[in-house]
C-alpha cells in the first residue's frame, strides 16, 4: 500500500505540474492572439460547429441557389457553377453528378480547403491545435483519476498532507485544462460577439445555419437530411487531402457542437461566402 501511495503521489505531482504549465501557456498565447473577429461565413461556421458545419453551409448555399438538389439522402448537381473554392471542391467530389449526401459531407469536411480554415483560426489564436488539445485533456483526466485513487488510502492512512494533495489534484483537474470545446478565450469572445452582432442574418438561411446549425433551418426536409448525414458513422474530418492539422474533426464551441456554420452563396454573388465583412 505504501508503494502504491508513493507511486500515485509522484504521478499526480507530475500531472499537476504539466497541467499548470500547459494552462499558463494557453493563457499566455490567448493574451497574444492576433484577432478575435470572424471574417467570413465559413470561418463563422468552423468556429461554431467545426468542419462538418462548413460542409453543411456549402451544401445549403448551393441548394438554396438551385445549383444542387438534395433529396433522399442524395446530392444531385443541377448547375455545376461554383462561386468559391469550397463549392469548387464539392463539385470535384461529385464526378457522377449524383452522390451520397453523407459521403459528400464527410469528404468535403476533411478536404484541404476546409481544414485550412481551422488552421487559420488556430494561427490567429481562436482555436487550440487538435494535438495539444487532446494532450491537455488527457493530462486533465489523468490528474482527476490519480487524485481519486490517492484520496481513499490517504484518508484511511490518516495522512492529512497526502489527503490535501489528493484534494488539490482533484480541484486542479476540474478547474484547469480544456473543457469540451477547442475554442480559446479569444475564440469564445469571437463566437459570442458573432452571435450578438447578428451580421449574418441578411445573408440568407445558409448563414443562419453556419452560426446556429441545421436546427435553425425552417425547411424540414433539408434539416432532416443534413442532421441524418451528420450522425455517427458519417465522419466529419480527416479525409483525403486534409492539411497538416487534419484532426479538425469536431472542434468547437459551446455545447460540444461549435466550430461550424453555413453560407448561402446563392443568389448570384460570390461575396456571400468567402468574403463577408468582419464582425
Amino acid at each position: 500500500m505504501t508503494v502504491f501511495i508513493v507511486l500515485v503521489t509522484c504521478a499526480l505531482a507530475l500531472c499537476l505540474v504539466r497541467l499548470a504549465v500547459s494552462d499558463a501557456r494557453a493563457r499566455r498565447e490567448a493574451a497574444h492572439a492576433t484577432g478575435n473577429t470572424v471574417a467570413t461565413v465559413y470561418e463563422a461556421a468552423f468556429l461554431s460547429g467545426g468542419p462538418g458545419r462548413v460542409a453543411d453551409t456549402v451544401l445549403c448555399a448551393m441548394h438554396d441557389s438551385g445549383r444542387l438538389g438534395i433529396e433522399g439522402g442524395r446530392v444531385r448537381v443541377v448547375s455545376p457553377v461554383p462561386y468559391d473554392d469550397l463549392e469548387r471542391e464539392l463539385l470535384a467530389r461529385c464526378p457522377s453528378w449524383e452522390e451520397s449526401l453523407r459521403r459528400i459531407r464527410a469528404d468535403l469536411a476533411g478536404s484541404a480547403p476546409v481544414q485550412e480554415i481551422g488552421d487559420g483560426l488556430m494561427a490567429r489564436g481562436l482555436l487550440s491545435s487538435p494535438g495539444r488539445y487532446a494532450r491537455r485533456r488527457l493530462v486533465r483526466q489523468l490528474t482527476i483519476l490519480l487524485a481519486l485513487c490517492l484520496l481513499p488510502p490517504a484518508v484511511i492512512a490518516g495522512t492529512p498532507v497526502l489527503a490535501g494533495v489528493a484534494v488539490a489534484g482533484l480541484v486542479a483537474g476540474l478547474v484547469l485544462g480544456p473543457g469540451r470545446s477547442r475554442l480559446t478565450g479569444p475564440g469564445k469572445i469571437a463566437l459570442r460577439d458573432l452571435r450578438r452582432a447578428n451580421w449574418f442574418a441578411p445573408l440568407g438561411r445558409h448563414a443562419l445555419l453556419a452560426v446556429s446549425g441545421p436546427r435553425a433551418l425552417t425547411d424540414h426536409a433539408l434539416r432532416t437530411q443534413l442532421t441524418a448525414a451528420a450522425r455517427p458513422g458519417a465522419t466529419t474530418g480527416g479525409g483525403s487531402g486534409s492539411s497538416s492539422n487534419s484532426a479538425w474533426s469536431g472542434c468547437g464551441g459551446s455545447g460540444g457542437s461549435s466550430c461550424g456554420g453555413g453560407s448561402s452563396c446563392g443568389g448570384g454573388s460570390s461575396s456571400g461566402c468567402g468574403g463577408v465583412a468582419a464582425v
Side-chain angles (χ1 to χ4, degrees):
M1 178 64 74
T2 301
V3 174
F4 172 79
I5 292 177
V6 170
L7 291 176
V8 172
T9 302
C10 291
L12 178 58
L14 290 175
C15 285
L16 283 171
V17 171
R18 178 66 182 270
L19 195 61
V21 170
S22 64
D23 191 71
R25 180 181 180 183
R27 292 177 184 276
R28 185 168 60 252
E29 291 179 350
H32 292 86
T34 57
N36 61 353
T37 57
V38 177
T40 72
V41 172
Y42 291 144
E43 286 189 353
F46 203 106
L47 200 64
S48 298
R53 185 74 63 79
V54 177
D56 287 341
T57 296
V58 178
L59 287 162
C60 183
M62 297 189 72
H63 175 269
D64 284 356
S65 63
R67 290 172 291 148
L68 281 186
I70 301 177
E71 186 176 0
R74 306 287 293 178
V75 175
R76 178 173 54 85
V77 178
V78 177
S79 176
V81 180
Y83 292 166
D84 57 45
D85 290 342
L86 292 188
E87 294 186 352
R88 190 171 294 109
E89 185 74 24
L90 184 151
L91 292 173
R93 294 172 183 274
C94 291
S96 66
W97 283 34
E98 184 170 344
E99 299 288 343
S100 162
L101 172 60
R102 175 169 292 198
R103 187 190 69 77
I104 289 297
R105 183 185 187 276
D107 286 356
L108 182 60
S111 67
V114 173
Q115 297 289 313
E116 286 167 1
I117 296 174
D119 295 346
L121 293 171
M122 181 188 72
R124 281 154 48 197
L126 302 182
L127 290 175
S128 299
S129 71
R132 185 186 301 175
Y133 173 82
R135 289 191 297 271
R136 291 183 66 205
R137 275 188 64 86
L138 179 61
V139 173
R140 181 191 185 196
Q141 293 166 354
L142 187 57
T143 300
I144 294 174
L145 177 62
L146 290 170
L148 291 174
C149 289
L150 179 61
L151 187 57
V155 172
I156 293 173
T159 312
V161 174
L162 290 181
V165 171
V167 171
L170 188 59
V171 172
L174 294 173
V175 174
L176 301 180
R180 296 178 59 190
S181 168
R182 288 183 189 169
L183 294 182
T184 62
K188 292 176 182 177
I189 293 174
L191 184 59
R192 181 198 65 196
D193 291 346
L194 171 69
R195 288 170 172 165
R196 286 180 177 176
N198 204 32
W199 57 262
F200 50 85
L203 301 177
R205 66 176 184 175
H206 59 289
L208 187 60
L209 179 149
V211 177
S212 302
R215 69 176 182 272
L217 296 177
T218 56
D219 185 329
H220 176 73
L222 181 60
R223 181 177 71 245
T224 299
Q225 292 187 84
L226 290 178
T227 301
R231 286 172 184 157
T235 55
T236 59
S240 60
S242 59
S243 68
S244 59
N245 286 294
S246 61
W248 299 112
S249 59
C251 80
S254 59
S257 61
S258 295
C259 262
S263 76
S264 94
C265 304
S269 173
S270 62
S271 63
C273 277
V276 179
V279 175

